[in-house]
Amino acid sequence: MARLTADRRISGARTATVLGSWRRPGPAHAALSDALRRAVLAGSLPLATRLPAERELATALAVSRTTVTAAYDTLRAEGFLLSRQGAGTVTALPRRARSAPVPDGVGDAGIADLSIAASAAPPELHAAALAALDRLPAHAGLGYHPHGLPELREVIARRYTDRGTPTTPEQILVTTGAQHAIALLTRTQAGPGDRVVVEQPTYVHALDAVRAAGARAVPVPTGPEGTDLDLLESTLRQVAPRLVYLIPDHQNPTGGCLSGPERAAVRELARRTGTVIAGDEVLTDLTLDGPPPESWAGDGRNPRVLAIGSMSKSHWGGLRVGWLRGPAELTTRLALARRSADLGTPVLDQLIAAELLAAGPGAVPGRVDQLRAGRDLLVRLLGERLPQWRFTVPRGGQCLWVDLGAPVSSALSALALAHGVRVAPGPAFGVDGGLEDRLRLPFTAPPEVLERAVDGLALAWSALTGGVVPAAVPDRGVTV
């Protein structure tokens, strides 16, 4: 029998808000069960959430209790709800709905690979590497810098200060990429059984870091309109996590951004609850439309608000240099903790990073224009070849988060490979499955690859659906 565990409770009023306009012609209990199922699969009703009692939900939805009872019974039979006397009714996924991980992205000849959101090395890299080589003799001592090369820490601290977050070099820890920073922070803050709150969906390898630490990821829904801050607050109260990991700017994969007031609200939440909240700013420099987002850490005075950055998206993923901004006490503790894995990021890589960052704020010249062109091309191609798919055009970042209209993402991903396209299915970006009606499509590839990819996806979609949009059948968890 499946274990019944609830991370948090959601009220009847909040459930009604999440479901929105759920009514349709036909039996009310069938419409309600469909709406609840969609919410679980889409992640707007996170897994391990205790639903309101039948009477409470009936009152909130202005329906009979019999309607709610019948809907709950249907979802229990399908495995989307688990119930036990005295423990309530908790959201879950049928075992068949748990999907395989994201494809590894190892390139095959002729495959249009959209499983990885990354750009090629910029022309500026060569000159920066030559300049770094010229300066290397001045740094040819022992070569161990657990905190990071002092001059790189100064450059990074100055960037934060220029964005309105006063920062000293002592508050910067240089890491071997942002993933290293996430893993190091997670391992230091949380241990086996501890809760770590993440967005749903979120960055795949952040989930890997939580699992590697033996901790338990607790999801909070997010989307193109941003993170559900009301549910975030109630989750922090109910779960008391050791860490919260958010992507506030051009969120991967949804593209959503937190507004200035929302950032302030999250910082206040960190202060009030004493919870450590880390914001991943790796995509911050990739604003394609409108003004750039405000600095995540604000005035920088809240020691519970941490910022993570990297060269990977703004410059090049092959340059494995990232960083964490936080209290000096924390950066020192993390520098000591990293010794079990490494003794510091390579000096030459840090010198190259310092050259590139000192050349100017933001991403390398042309990167934003390139991504904007790729985004607009992908939007046009999908509109022409796959007009059934729905998405919000993001104002930054590297990918579209597509609503397929049916829970077929894993099946489509598997079928697409036979048509020459590698994509990551929606469930790869969620905690323990779900998101089967979503697909992430990066627009970082060259135009000819994007065109080939959309052609292949259109063929795969036609083969999957027979040219007809799949119906939202009760068994929405089918995967291959």
Side-chain angles (χ1 to χ4, degrees), residues 154-164 285 323 357 360-362:
E154 289 177 8
V155 171
I156 296 169
R158 194 179 313 125
R159 282 167 61 89
Y160 279 107
T161 300
D162 291 344
R163 292 187 64 215
D285 289 331
W323 56 84
L357 291 176

Side-chain angles (χ1 to χ4, degrees), residues 88-257:
T89 298
V90 177
T91 55
L93 279 181
R95 290 193 178 278
R96 64 183 180 278
R98 304 176 190 277
S99 178
V102 62
D104 61 17
V106 177
D108 298 321
I111 294 292
D113 194 344
L114 298 190
S115 66
I116 298 175
S119 298
E124 292 80 5
L125 180 66
H126 184 239
L130 291 177
L133 279 172
D134 289 340
R135 296 172 52 216
L136 185 60
H139 299 273
L142 296 179
Y144 295 114
H145 298 277
H147 286 84
L149 206 61
E151 67 178 81
L152 178 57
R153 296 169 75 196
E154 289 177 8
V155 171
I156 296 169
R158 194 179 313 125
R159 282 167 61 89
Y160 279 107
T161 300
D162 291 344
R163 292 187 64 215
T165 302
T167 301
T168 64
E170 291 72 28
Q171 293 177 280
I172 300 297
L173 173 72
V174 176
T175 58
T176 308
Q179 179 61 27
H180 181 210
I182 295 167
L184 187 60
L185 178 63
T186 304
R187 190 176 78 235
T188 304
Q189 289 293 127
D194 288 335
R195 263 73 164 186
V196 175
V197 170
V198 299
E199 294 161 308
Q200 170 93 336
T202 192
Y203 173 50
V204 172
H205 299 303
L207 297 175
D208 291 341
V210 174
R211 295 174 185 128
R216 181 176 174 183
V218 178
V220 170
T222 192
E225 300 79 23
T227 301
D228 188 332
L229 296 189
D230 289 339
L231 190 55
L232 175 63
E233 181 174 2
S234 65
T235 299
L236 263 57
R237 282 200 315 269
Q238 298 176 51
V239 172
R242 299 300 304 272
L243 176 67
V244 176
Y245 169 80
L246 304 176
I247 307 175
D249 306 330
H250 316 310
Q251 204 259 2
N252 177 15
T254 69
C257 281

Side-chain angles (χ1 to χ4, degrees), residues 64-83:
S64 70
R65 182 177 177 181
T66 303
T67 295
V68 177
T69 300
Y72 277 15
D73 285 346
T74 296
L75 296 176
R76 287 189 194 100
E78 294 175 2
F80 287 95
L81 294 181
L82 300 174
S83 297

Side-chain angles (χ1 to χ4, degrees), residues 14-51:
R14 184 62 189 166
T15 304
T17 299
V18 169
L19 296 183
S21 300
W22 60 274
R23 297 175 187 268
R24 58 172 169 76
H29 69 86
L32 180 56
S33 62
D34 283 350
L36 288 167
R37 188 188 304 107
R38 283 195 302 270
V40 172
L41 286 169
S44 51
L45 272 181
L47 300 180
T49 295
R50 181 174 176 176
L51 293 182

Side-chain angles (χ1 to χ4, degrees), residues 307-385:
I308 294 169
S310 168
M311 304 290 293
S312 63
K313 307 302 183 184
S314 58
H315 294 76
W316 185 44
L319 192 61
R320 303 307 304 151
V321 176
W323 56 84
L324 181 141
R325 182 208 180 275
E329 177 275 329
L330 175 64
T331 60
T332 298
R333 183 155 53 93
L334 293 176
L336 293 173
R338 78 184 297 179
R339 292 181 301 180
S340 64
D342 75 342
L343 297 177
T345 302
V347 172
L348 182 58
D349 284 17
Q350 293 188 70
L351 288 172
I352 296 171
E355 288 287 334
L356 290 169
L357 291 176
V364 289
R367 175 61 49 83
V368 168
D369 291 340
Q370 178 189 48
L371 288 173
R372 186 186 299 111
R375 179 199 64 183
D376 294 347
L377 174 61
L378 183 57
V379 167
R380 178 176 64 79
L381 292 171
L382 291 177
E384 293 171 353
R385 300 298 310 277

